[in-house]
């Protein structure tokens, strides 16, 4: 069951960022991170997640 406020947030985000690629979104966050603590936090978390994903992909390869 969804909550009306969650639906409004999702709709707003979809309207604002729905046509962006992940790289475009990352670039936008990077440009805003010095003036917005929220953008700074999201940008850093996104970079962290990307690094973790790469590490997990690397670790999943066989050793030989």
């Amino acid at each position: 069951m969804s909550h009306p406020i969650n639906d409004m947030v999702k709709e707003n985000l979809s309207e604002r960022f729905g046509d962006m690629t992940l790289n475009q979104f990352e670039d936008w966050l990077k440009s805003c991170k010095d003036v917005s603590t929220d953008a700074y936090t999201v940008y850093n978390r996104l970079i962290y997640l990307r690094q973790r994903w790469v590490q997990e992909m690397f670790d999943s390869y066989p050793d030989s």
Side-chain angles (χ1 to χ4, degrees):
M1 175 188 272
S2 64
H3 191 277
I5 292 177
N6 290 343
D7 292 342
M8 288 181 0
V9 169
K10 183 178 178 184
E11 184 178 317
N12 188 347
L13 288 172
S14 194
E15 286 175 8
R16 186 163 181 189
F17 302 109
D19 59 343
M20 283 185 168
T21 65
L22 182 58
N23 289 335
Q24 290 171 329
F25 183 62
E26 183 180 330
D27 291 341
W28 178 81
L29 284 171
K30 188 176 185 178
S31 70
C32 296
K33 72 182 178 96
D34 294 331
V35 293
S36 168
T37 56
D38 293 334
Y40 177 82
T41 301
V42 172
Y43 177 76
N44 286 334
R45 293 294 180 195
L46 183 62
I47 297 303
Y48 173 76
L49 286 173
R50 179 176 283 173
Q51 290 170 344
R52 287 285 310 262
W53 181 80
V54 168
Q55 185 62 45
E56 287 181 15
M57 292 297 293
F58 180 75
D59 290 345
S60 69
Y61 287 121
D63 290 337
S64 56

